[in-house]
Amino acid sequence: MTSLNQKLFQRSQEFIPGGVNSPVRAFKSVGGTPVFFKQGKGAYVWDADNKSYIDYVGSWGPLILGHAHPEVIKAVQNKIKDGLTFGAPTEAELEIAELLCKLVPSIEQVRLVSSGTEATMTAIRLARGYTGRNRIIKFEGCYHGHDDALLVKAGSGALTLGCPSSAGVPAEVTNSTTVLNFNDLEELEQIFSKAGREVAAVIVEPVAGNMNFVTPNPKFLPALRELCTKYGSVLIFDEVMTGFRVGLGCAQGVYNIKPDLTTLGKVIGGGMPMAAFGGKREIMQCLAPVGSVYQAGTLSGNPIAVSAGLATLQMVQTPGFYEKLTSSTQQLTNGLTGIAKKYEIPFCAQSLGGMFGLYFRGDIPSSYAEVMECDVESFNRFFHAMLEEGIYFAPSSFEAGFVSSAHSDMVIRKTLQAAERIFSTWE
Ligand SMILES: *Cc1c(COP(=O)(O)O)cnc(C)c1O
């Protein structure tokens, strides 16, 4: 019997490359047919065949309130009546800009864009314009959107030139990108002492969520801050994923480090295409029309997207919001770890705020290399077994997972019961 999901995927592959509009959606790493969603409510989504799932992807991060939160839907419906776009300033943009500056103290000025990729791409350009330098440092396993300069893998030997990790990216573009190891202080100090004065910017996911989930060692972010200050380089925290996901003050609030620039996306758009970058006034003043670094966008600060973002940011300010989110997420990760332990399965998990990592290995990884040691085959088996049970985890063992405020104790308990059924028959 062919399911509607399968039929839709077959047809999609005819008209859309790979049948998807973003590669990870294609289930390539776990195998099988991607699930076509048609509806979401709270912690649940429904597929084309009417099967329901508890969703731990949340559109890859934005849906911190769950699907179709009434306040967000209401805000969008109210706004939509007044027109979809103006290409001129609106008061709502000012409102969200003021709020972002208030909630994230390192942000003195902010500009709205339409995607995380646009935010990081412009932050890099801005850092280069501001410093008059070219070199960028990034870390292996961190993803910053698909800007050419950031689609880089480590060259042979970490201190050599980066090479493109995608066809179509000229080596000249990635030549000035250096790729280092996340959490490796020695390497970092070495490159700065050699070439610190050439470094325009260091861009980092303060908590890495695009190589599964890797937290920074206690000395890593402080060292980044210190070296960037010493050598006059711009420190960019890419908080597109962690922003308002790990806490109200973002990852920089959790670790108490002030970057020079921050990129935001996902949660701040509440499920609509909206992102932002901001930081020190002195740097932001280099942007057109006041400065000489060009950046623009026809739909930037789109009023409908802004209204969804504002409604979301209002809700997350509810007292106790992050405490509850943190405890729900821990209930999930502690529960899974406990069950795996009972059945002697090499598995562990950890979380921060509403973000978590699952690892099929003995202990928590702290680098890209250690994440690569996770047992992908076991993850894929677990993924498909949970999918069958109506639990939707990210279709790759190299992605973080997300819990929303709609994930009640009952929802988490159901998830753990399904995991117990799977792990109890694991061999
Ligand atoms: C998702 C993500 C991006 C890219 O955002 P898009 O809106 O998909 O372009 C950039 N950086 C990080 C850390 C992300 O998680």
Side-chain angles (χ1 to χ4, degrees):
M1 188 195 73
T2 319
S3 71
L4 189 48
N5 272 313
Q6 284 165 328
K7 283 186 196 139
L8 288 171
F9 188 50
Q10 238 144 38
R11 271 172 63 203
S12 294
Q13 289 174 94
E14 183 67 25
F15 299 103
I16 302 172
V20 293
N21 283 311
S22 197
V24 74
R25 298 178 192 173
F27 273 36
K28 264 191 105 164
S29 89
V30 290
T33 307
V35 182
F36 278 64
F37 291 150
K38 61 175 189 188
Q39 200 191 347
K41 184 75 197 150
Y44 286 85
V45 282
W46 284 263
D47 75 6
D49 295 301
N50 283 322
K51 181 175 163 77
S52 74
Y53 304 84
I54 295 172
D55 180 18
Y56 288 103
V57 179
S59 190
W60 299 97
L63 301 181
I64 197 161
L65 306 176
H67 290 268
H69 190 283
E71 291 298 321
V72 179
I73 300 299
K74 195 172 77 189
V76 167
Q77 282 173 336
N78 283 342
K79 204 71 191 173
I80 221 160
K81 295 197 288 281
D82 297 331
L84 299 182
T85 176
F86 303 103
T90 60
E91 193 175 345
E93 290 163 71
L94 166 63
E95 221 179 300
I96 200 162
E98 276 181 328
L99 184 58
L100 291 172
C101 292
K102 185 186 103 181
L103 295 175
V104 188
S106 74
I107 299 183
E108 295 169 352
Q109 289 205 314
V110 64
R111 180 158 286 173
L112 303 181
V113 292
S114 301
S115 75
T117 294
E118 236 188 304
T120 56
M121 177 185 82
T122 318
I124 294 291
R125 185 184 304 147
L126 180 57
R128 284 173 162 163
Y130 170 74
T131 57
R133 307 171 181 177
N134 283 337
R135 182 148 304 278
I136 302 163
I137 292 177
K138 79 173 287 285
F139 297 92
E140 191 168 23
C142 287
Y143 175 68
H144 305 291
H146 61 93
D147 175 40
D148 281 359
L150 297 167
L151 283 180
V152 190
K153 58 178 185 251
S156 55
L159 300 184
T160 61
L161 306 176
C163 43
S165 59
S166 162
V169 176
E172 301 88 81
V173 176
T174 57
N175 271 347
S176 38
T177 307
T178 299
V179 185
L180 302 181
N181 289 306
F182 192 82
N183 272 336
D184 188 338
L185 280 182
E186 209 174 302
E187 195 182 53
L188 189 66
E189 276 157 9
Q190 201 182 333
I191 192 96
F192 263 98
S193 68
K194 237 190 190 167
R197 295 279 160 207
E198 295 168 23
V199 176
V202 176
I203 185 165
V204 66
E205 288 182 75
V207 176
N210 287 285
M211 49 165 154
N212 201 325
F213 174 78
V214 178
T215 56
N217 291 340
K219 287 184 182 157
F220 184 59
L221 299 177
L224 279 181
R225 177 64 281 173
E226 205 174 294
L227 288 166
C228 284
T229 305
K230 183 171 166 194
Y231 289 94
S233 311
V234 176
L235 178 58
I236 305 170
F237 272 12
D238 181 357
E239 299 229 40
V240 170
M241 186 182 284
T242 52
F244 304 100
R245 167 56 64 182
V246 299
L248 189 57
C250 309
Q252 55 195 273
V254 172
Y255 294 100
N256 198 22
I257 302 285
K258 259 189 169 181
D260 302 305
L261 291 177
T262 301
T263 55
L264 295 165
K266 297 188 170 121
V267 171
I268 69 160
M272 297 283 268
M274 213 258 288
F277 62 97
K280 278 193 178 152
R281 183 178 309 273
E282 186 192 335
I283 303 176
M284 292 300 286
Q285 289 286 317
C286 294
L287 274 180
V290 274
S292 54
V293 176
Y294 191 70
Q295 182 274 335
T298 303
L299 295 177
S300 290
N302 174 268
I304 315 305
V306 167
S307 69
L310 270 173
T312 303
L313 291 178
Q314 294 304 339
M315 294 298 297
V316 300
Q317 290 178 76
T318 313
F321 180 90
Y322 285 98
E323 284 80 356
K324 176 71 183 79
L325 186 68
T326 298
S327 109
S328 306
T329 315
Q330 279 171 355
Q331 194 187 333
L332 174 73
T333 52
N334 292 343
L336 289 173
T337 307
I339 297 165
K341 197 165 174 209
K342 188 161 103 188
Y343 298 104
E344 296 175 354
I345 295 160
F347 171 93
C348 55
Q350 66 170 345
S351 68
L352 185 69
M355 192 172 162
F356 66 85
L358 311 177
Y359 324 94
F360 279 88
R361 80 194 285 276
D363 40 33
I364 305 277
S366 70
S367 67
Y368 179 75
E370 285 177 8
V371 168
M372 288 300 130
E373 289 166 14
C374 290
D375 180 355
V376 175
E377 215 170 291
S378 290
F379 172 82
N380 292 352
R381 230 174 97 203
F382 176 73
F383 169 83
H384 279 293
M386 288 298 266
L387 193 68
E388 190 65 36
E389 290 269 1
I391 318 279
Y392 188 79
F393 282 117
S396 160
S397 78
F398 303 112
E399 302 287 347
F402 303 100
V403 167
S404 79
S405 57
H407 287 70
S408 63
D409 291 356
M410 199 263 288
V411 165
I412 307 272
R413 264 203 311 278
K414 270 191 167 169
T415 307
L416 295 176
Q417 283 159 6
E420 174 103 36
R421 282 190 290 274
I422 291 162
F423 280 161
S424 66
T425 55
W426 198 264
E427 83 296 329

